[in-house]
Amino acid sequence: KMDLTIQKAVELGVHDITPLSSDRCNVKLDDTRAAKRLAHWQQVVISACEQCGRNTLPTLHPITPLKDWQLKPAKNKLILHPSSQSTLSDLTPGSCSIVIGPEGGFSESELKDALANDFKCVQLGPRILRTETAGLAMISVLQARLGDF
């Protein structure tokens, strides 16, 4: 699932990708497996760039615990949450950083930390989407509304 998400994110123009681990992540990788996964994902990035004619590789960061993630400055810092009343129509043009949760969503403490770090909860609509669907839908909507970010 992550291969597809990375591939399509690259094709849609994302500049940075950071796989995050969180309280409810189903997959826990040891250091050796994480390094192999990252090497594999880097090849997915390269292949996706070749596919879409992109001549600049997006940065693929190491797998990082959500609590340790250092976010690059962005005008819009968004976290998907199904019960949010805010939608993407409230955005102002500019750079975006988005966080998509694991199956089962973020824990309450993770959500509280994100809000304390100026993230804004938004929702994509009335349905709760799988992680891989939510990420691609979010990127596509942002691309349509704001262009390359």
Side-chain angles (χ1 to χ4, degrees), residues 44-58:
V44 171
V45 167
I46 292 167
S47 177
C49 283
E50 290 171 352
Q51 167 64 36
C52 68
R54 189 172 172 179
N55 62 6
T56 303
L57 291 176

Side-chain angles (χ1 to χ4, degrees), residues 50-115:
E50 290 171 352
Q51 167 64 36
C52 68
R54 189 172 172 179
N55 62 6
T56 303
L57 291 176
T59 302
L60 177 63
H61 299 278
I63 300 169
T64 306
L66 180 60
K67 62 182 172 49
D68 297 336
W69 181 42
Q70 297 296 313
L71 176 68
K72 286 187 171 187
K75 186 167 187 176
N76 298 291
K77 295 167 58 174
L78 309 171
I79 186 167
L80 281 180
H81 196 276
S83 64
S84 174
Q85 299 303 309
S86 296
T87 65
L88 295 175
S89 62
D90 303 331
L91 291 181
T92 55
S95 60
C96 293
S97 288
I98 60 174
V99 179
I100 310 295
E103 300 294 329
F106 291 111
S107 68
E108 287 302 317
S109 65
E110 290 171 332
L111 192 55
K112 193 182 296 185
D113 288 345
L115 294 173

